[in-house]
């Protein structure tokens, strides 16, 4: 990132007006892409906490800042760290982790971790409606801040509406958004459901606070510094208005998608991702760069291609993926204490081999907020373990994805900016409709607009990789390699491997050398390394599961395939009831995504000699693997 210090960024009068509103204002800020919404929000938090008049200043803990994804939380946190003098103690949380913490505080005995994200959000909404805010440790918030409110749909929208309803008289808010960037991906599965939901939250806010809502707009774009990077901006307002276009949303969106696509075709063409010149320019570019794909299948294939060509990069994870950094397991393994003081935590962090890039101040603050011990100034280690087991680890401590070159879907790039953006040339709406007769055309147009507005300097296009042999297996939701021809619909040449596919129940090497595997993971295994799943034996363990597979890194076992993966592999390969499955001997071409801390059985941890916490390090794997069958086995079925 190329940010300079906070002081040389003079806010525009429009931005300053947002920052200066008193804490109890109900404020809605709308703006186009790159108008400094997030930047202004950070300055507003700073002003709310650091107000010169003590009666007007809020405590950091009185601000509730909610965001969609860990990536967005991290972005906000980083910006606060760089530009926020007073707001450093403000905690930014995802909707999901806040909902979970409300539930745990109000009903500590509930089995909240067993619920899905959406179920927890629903339960939290119910609790809020029954007065839960009054029972929170920090008390009800005095000011609520939500970025990207255009994306508030479904259960999250209901939760925020209930929250604001409950706080009616005693609370201000700052809501910031851009309807042109409403693309909500994971939140609503059924396209019909969300097609007519765009802007529902904005309409609710305007109707509910018609008397005292202060609505401000930011009109100047700061991100785009070149004509190329500005290419899509003139269409911003039209994209915002798709939902209310007189010609109908679909027709307007198709027209705008066509116009945006034409503008993109006018941008410099990088040719193909197999072209040596293109690859060299990706390798040598000194700034930040993102290759943006329409869907995850394209992103996975681009990442695979770059790996085989030796181009270092990071594949951006799903916005809901929440790997707990590997240093947490290492920390827990190094202490048997029930509580830690700040000094002891610092000592432990300092003594670890993987402490690079860990900021002890930030770790202490975030862990104290989430797992406070009963003694003065202490951290409760059992609660810390609970955060890992219950997938509630603080969002702001998630590992960064620091590579200068990122491969991402457009959805996962929201709210971010890069010096250079390379967009896979998108198909026309007509072509997309041919593949998907339920195509959500407004979402396509908005996604293209979001993609084209992420660049600071360069906007390029490049040919999309050929995806015809990568198909979706609907029952499991996994990509697989096959042949798009009904005559070959039984054919399976590979399968997607993703988060959750490595067994977490017990540590790798539990029977012989678990500590050795832990050290090997820390010392030798790096993101991007190649891994293979190898068949252990051909005996299925359960009635609807594949046999067991070991996870191999340079020939060494670093884990086992999880039961979830094995059930999905069974479902994918058992194409008919009488079908004799030939289990692939290997699934190759997979990559290490990251190392993460996982919580499994405490007994397994003890038996394996990894201490009593039941937390250890496991690899997370991704990629669309290729099956290698033992000689002749594949052909036998043809
Ligand atoms: N007043 C300012 N002076 C200089 N730079 C600014 C100013 N306001 C914002 N910026 C810069 O402009 C860029 C875009 O800002 P920001 O990311 O906050 O926009 P945004 O509206 O949230 O974008 P989007 O909605 O497209 O994700 C950032 O690099 C930010 O630091």
């Amino acid at each position: 990132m190329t940010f300079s210090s906070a002081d040389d960024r003079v806010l525009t009068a429009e931005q300053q007006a947002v920052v200066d509103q008193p804490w109890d204002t109900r404020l809605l800020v709308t703006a186009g892409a790159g108008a400094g919404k997030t930047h202004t929000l950070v300055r507003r938090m700073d002003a709310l906490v650091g107000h010169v008049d003590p009666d007007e200043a809020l405590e950091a803990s009185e601000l509730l800042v909610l965001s969609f994804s860990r990536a967005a939380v991290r972005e906000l946190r980083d910006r606060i760290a760089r530009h926020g003098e007073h707001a450093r103690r403000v905690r930014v949380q995802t909707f999901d982790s806040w909902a979970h913490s409300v539930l745990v505080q109000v009903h500590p005995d509930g089995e909240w971790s067993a619920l899905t994200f959406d179920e927890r959000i629903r339960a939290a909404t119910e609790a809020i409606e029954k007065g839960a805010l009054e029972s929170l440790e920090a008390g009800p918030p005095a000011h609520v801040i939500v970025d990207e409110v255009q994306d508030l749909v479904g259960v999250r929208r209901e939760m925020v509406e209930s929250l604001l309803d409950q706080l009616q008289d005693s609370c201000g808010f700052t809501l910031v958004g851009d309807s042109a960037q409403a693309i909500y991906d994971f939140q609503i599965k059924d396209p019909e459901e969300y097609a007519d939901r765009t802007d529902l939250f904005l309409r609710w806010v305007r109707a509910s606070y018609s008397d005292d809502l202060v609505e401000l707009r930011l009109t100047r774009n700061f991100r785009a510094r070149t004509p190329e990077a500005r290419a899509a901006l003139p269409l911003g307002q039209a994209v915002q208005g798709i939902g209310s276009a007189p010609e109908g949303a679909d027709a307007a969106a198709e027209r705008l998608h066509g116009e945006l696509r034409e503008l993109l075709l006018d941008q410099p063409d990088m040719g193909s991702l197999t072209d040596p010149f293109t690859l060299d320019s990706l390798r040598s570019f000194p700034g930040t760069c993102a290759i943006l794909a329409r869907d995850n299948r394209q992103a996975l294939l681009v990442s695979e291609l770059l790996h085989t060509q030796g181009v270092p990069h990071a594949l951006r994870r799903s916005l809901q993926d929440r790997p707990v950094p590997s240093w947490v397991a290492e920390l827990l393994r190094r202490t048997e204490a029930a509580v830690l003081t700040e000094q002891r935590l610092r000592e432990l962090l300092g003594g670890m081999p993987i402490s690079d890039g860990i900021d002890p101040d930030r770790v202490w603050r975030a862990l104290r907020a989430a797992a406070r011990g009963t003694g003065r100034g202490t951290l409760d280690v059992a609660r810390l373990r609970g955060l890992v087991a219950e997938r509630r680890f603080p969002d702001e401590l998630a590992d960064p994805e620091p590579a200068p070159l990122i491969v991402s879907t457009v959805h996962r790039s929201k709210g971010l900016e890069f010096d250079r953006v390379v967009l896979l040339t998108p198909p026309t709406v007509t072509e997309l409709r041919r593949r998907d007769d339920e195509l959500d055309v407004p979402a396509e147009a908005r996604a293209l607009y979001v993609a084209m507005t992420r660049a600071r300097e360069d906007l390029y296009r490049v040919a999309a990789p050929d995806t015809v042999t990568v198909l979706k297996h609907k029952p499991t939701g996994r990509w697989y390699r096959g042949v798009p021809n009904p005559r070959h619909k039984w054919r399976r040449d590979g399968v997607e491997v993703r988060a959750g596919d490595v067994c977490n129940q017990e540590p790798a090497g539990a029977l012989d050398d678990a500590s050795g595997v832990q050290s090997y993971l820390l010392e030798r295994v790096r993101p991007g390394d190649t891994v293979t799943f190898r068949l252990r034996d051909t005996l299925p363990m359960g009635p609807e599961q594949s046999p067991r597979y070991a996870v191999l890194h340079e020939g060494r076992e670093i884990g086992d395939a999880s039961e979830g993966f094995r059930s999905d592999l069974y479902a994918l390969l058992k194409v008919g009831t009488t079908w004799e499955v030939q289990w692939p001997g290997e699934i190759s071409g997979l990559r290490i995504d990251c190392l993460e801390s996982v919580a499994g059985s405490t007994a397994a941890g003890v038996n394996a000699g990894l201490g009593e916490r039941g937390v250890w390090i496991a690899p997370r794997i991704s990629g669309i693997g290729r099956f290698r069958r033992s000689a002749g086995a594949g052909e036998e079925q043809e």
Side-chain angles (χ1 to χ4, degrees), residues 267-423:
Q267 305 306 314
D269 184 1
M270 280 189 118
S272 144
L273 284 170
T274 49
D275 180 343
F277 180 75
T278 306
L279 294 166
D280 268 351
S281 101
L282 290 173
R283 267 188 215 104
S284 59
F285 184 65
T288 57
C289 176
I291 302 180
L292 298 184
R294 183 174 165 269
D295 60 31
N296 200 36
R297 161 174 58 175
Q298 282 188 334
L300 285 164
L301 291 182
V302 168
S303 170
E304 178 183 281
L305 204 146
L306 294 181
H307 275 306
T308 52
Q309 300 289 341
V311 181
H313 67 280
L315 178 64
R316 201 163 187 86
R317 293 190 196 100
S318 141
L319 299 179
Q320 289 209 300
D321 249 357
R322 309 158 78 86
V324 177
S326 52
W327 58 260
V328 180
E330 197 53 21
L331 175 76
L332 289 172
R333 203 144 74 89
R334 283 162 182 256
T335 176
E336 288 178 0
V339 291
L340 295 178
T341 60
E342 181 171 359
Q343 196 194 343
R344 183 70 188 125
L345 178 82
R346 284 173 183 279
E347 281 165 16
L348 288 167
L349 288 174
M352 290 187 335
I354 43 172
S355 55
D356 269 11
I358 301 176
D359 171 355
D361 288 340
R362 182 189 277 196
V363 170
W364 172 253
R365 264 204 311 273
L367 292 186
R368 260 282 283 175
R372 185 179 290 266
T374 39
R376 241 178 100 86
T378 58
L379 182 67
D380 183 321
V381 182
R383 286 177 84 177
L384 173 55
R385 183 205 186 269
L387 298 178
V388 182
E390 292 161 15
R391 294 174 295 151
R392 285 195 300 120
F393 194 73
D395 300 312
E396 61 267 44
L397 295 181
D399 268 338
E401 294 170 280
L405 177 61
I406 297 275
V407 177
S408 172
T409 62
V410 174
H411 288 96
R412 296 176 192 180
S413 75
K414 272 176 59 164
L416 303 181
E417 59 183 22
F418 307 89
D419 296 324
R420 172 182 287 181
V421 167
V422 182
L423 199 50

Side-chain angles (χ1 to χ4, degrees), residues 3 9-12 15 32-39 79 181 222-223 415 417 454:
F3 290 103
R9 280 160 194 252
V10 180
L11 296 180
T12 62
Q15 292 176 324
K37 290 183 291 300
T38 313
H39 183 71
R79 291 196 191 195
Q181 298 183 59
F222 281 97
R223 173 173 299 139
E417 59 183 22
R454 297 303 96 200

Side-chain angles (χ1 to χ4, degrees), residues 1-4 6 8-13 15-16 30-43 75 79 82-83 147-148 150 176-178 181 218 220-225 233 413-417 449-450 453-454 456:
M1 293 253 176
T2 52
F3 290 103
S4 43
D8 64 358
R9 280 160 194 252
V10 180
L11 296 180
T12 62
Q15 292 176 324
Q16 194 66 49
T30 53
K37 290 183 291 300
T38 313
H39 183 71
T40 308
L41 208 49
V42 170
R43 298 287 284 267
E75 180 73 14
R79 291 196 191 195
R82 279 195 304 266
H83 306 306
D147 196 2
E148 305 202 275
Q150 75 278 355
V176 177
D178 173 12
Q181 298 183 59
L218 305 179
R220 175 166 163 198
N221 178 288
F222 281 97
R223 173 173 299 139
R225 298 177 190 146
L233 293 177
S413 75
K414 272 176 59 164
L416 303 181
E417 59 183 22
Y449 174 76
V450 169
T453 54
R454 297 303 96 200
R456 281 192 280 255

Side-chain angles (χ1 to χ4, degrees), residues 198-244:
T198 308
D199 284 350
L200 223 53
F201 178 71
L202 290 178
R203 275 185 255 156
W204 177 86
V205 173
R206 289 182 179 121
S208 307
Y209 300 94
S210 53
D211 293 343
D212 58 354
L213 186 71
V214 175
E215 191 160 351
L216 298 175
R217 267 191 72 76
L218 305 179
T219 52
R220 175 166 163 198
N221 178 288
F222 281 97
R223 173 173 299 139
R225 298 177 190 146
T226 62
E228 296 79 36
R230 268 194 283 276
L233 293 177
L235 293 181
Q237 248 180 327
V239 179
Q240 278 174 1
I242 283 177
S244 51

